[in-house]
Amino acid sequence: MIRIFFVFLALASILSAEAVTVPTMNFALSSPDTPQQLVSSLNVLVVLTLLFLAPSMILVMTTFTRFVIVFGFLRQALGTQQVPPTQLLVMLAMILTFFVMEPIGKEAYEVGVKPYIEEKIGYEEAFEKTTLPFKNFMVRNTREKDLALFFRIREMQNPATIADVPLSVIIPAFVISELKTAFEIGFLLFLPFLVIDMVVASILMSMGMMMLPPVMISLPFKILVFVLIDGWNLLIGNLIATIK
């Protein structure tokens, strides 16, 4: 406490001996004087909005949805409650998403972002070229039925090229396609573990052990089977193989 007192005393003496200039910030709101100021303000607003929506865009424009739902189904099928923990499954889904989407992100940077930074193309052209690799990826992994659904809802004509497909149409179609694919994979994951649960339950009933929960007995066998078949390697390999 004595040291802190002397530190404050020294600071007070310095401030009283010298004039210290304290920086100030102006938060006043005023109308722009020139169109350039308005454009600059709107650009800042667009960048902040994109940064705010970045996590949501990861969910709807990448394979993150498929990975995280399948991992959730796997944990439910194994019956391990909170093992692996949710944070670990989400991080694993994020890492696999980055692994899958890295080539697409590099392509988008090379054809759109980099020329825009070098002032070779305009903002609108840069946006179109940056989003085109993501559009190609989403169209490859979207069912035609889902894509046609949103075109029909909007009463729009069929596009001639992928570039003509608006993001407002392709993103929801891609999301419901990913949900359907994830649920199909989850159903296939449940089947072998469901068979183990049924076999264990039948054996316990035949032995008259009604009070013993079948889940408690089948859990070690399900974990053993998953480990013997190298489940994580098999699951992740097949998950990535389903991505076009």
Side-chain angles (χ1 to χ4, degrees), residues 121-142:
I121 58 177
Y123 173 77
E124 294 182 357
E125 185 180 358
F127 179 78
E128 292 179 359
K129 290 186 175 181
T130 302
T131 56
L132 185 59
F134 290 94
K135 283 185 178 181
N136 293 330
F137 170 79
M138 287 189 288
V139 168
R140 289 197 304 268
N141 292 275
T142 302

Side-chain angles (χ1 to χ4, degrees), residues 1-242:
M1 295 296 294
I2 298 177
R3 292 182 180 180
I4 296 176
F5 172 76
F6 280 111
V7 169
F8 278 110
L9 184 63
L11 290 175
S13 62
I14 293 174
L15 292 175
S16 60
E18 300 179 358
V20 178
T21 303
V22 179
T24 59
M25 298 181 66
N26 185 12
F27 292 98
L29 297 176
S30 59
S31 58
D33 298 328
T34 62
Q36 289 76 13
Q37 292 181 0
L38 177 61
V39 172
S40 300
S41 301
L42 291 177
N43 286 335
V44 172
L45 179 62
V46 169
V47 171
L48 292 177
T49 304
L50 290 177
L51 291 176
F52 178 76
L53 294 176
S56 300
M57 300 303 288
I58 292 177
L59 293 177
V60 298
M61 296 181 64
T62 65
T63 58
F64 177 81
T65 302
R66 182 184 307 190
F67 287 137
V68 75
I69 290 178
V70 170
F71 292 154
F73 273 123
L74 173 64
R75 188 170 65 182
Q76 291 293 327
L78 286 172
T80 54
Q81 302 299 326
Q82 297 299 320
V83 179
T86 303
Q87 294 85 350
L88 180 60
L89 293 181
V90 172
M91 287 304 300
L92 179 59
M94 288 291 295
I95 293 172
L96 293 175
T97 301
F98 177 79
F99 174 79
V100 173
M101 302 301 297
E102 183 184 10
I104 299 169
K106 287 182 177 179
E107 181 183 355
Y109 176 80
E110 291 293 333
V111 300
V113 179
K114 186 176 180 181
Y116 178 72
I117 294 175
E118 296 174 351
E119 299 182 355
K120 294 181 180 179
I121 58 177
Y123 173 77
E124 294 182 357
E125 185 180 358
F127 179 78
E128 292 179 359
K129 290 186 175 181
T130 302
T131 56
L132 185 59
F134 290 94
K135 283 185 178 181
N136 293 330
F137 170 79
M138 287 189 288
V139 168
R140 289 197 304 268
N141 292 275
T142 302
R143 298 183 303 165
E144 294 184 3
K145 181 179 179 180
D146 296 330
L147 197 59
L149 170 66
F150 290 96
F151 271 100
R152 187 170 61 253
I153 294 174
R154 281 283 186 89
E155 298 181 354
M156 300 171 60
Q157 296 181 353
N158 293 333
T161 61
I162 295 178
D164 297 332
V165 182
L167 287 174
S168 59
V169 172
I170 192 173
I171 289 178
F174 173 73
V175 170
I176 64 174
S177 292
E178 287 293 289
L179 289 173
K180 181 179 185 298
T181 303
F183 273 71
E184 289 176 347
I185 298 174
F187 171 75
L188 295 176
L189 279 175
F190 258 97
L191 286 180
F193 299 113
L194 181 62
V195 171
I196 295 176
D197 287 333
M198 293 176 63
V199 170
V200 171
S202 300
I203 294 175
L204 291 178
M205 290 183 64
S206 63
M207 296 175 63
M209 304 174 67
M210 302 294 185
M211 303 301 295
L212 187 62
V215 177
M216 185 182 299
I217 304 301
S218 64
L219 178 59
F221 291 100
K222 290 191 289 186
I223 295 176
L224 178 62
V225 170
F226 189 73
V227 171
L228 289 177
I229 65 173
D230 198 1
W232 287 110
N233 185 287
L234 187 63
L235 175 62
I236 293 176
N238 284 278
L239 267 177
I240 295 178
T242 61

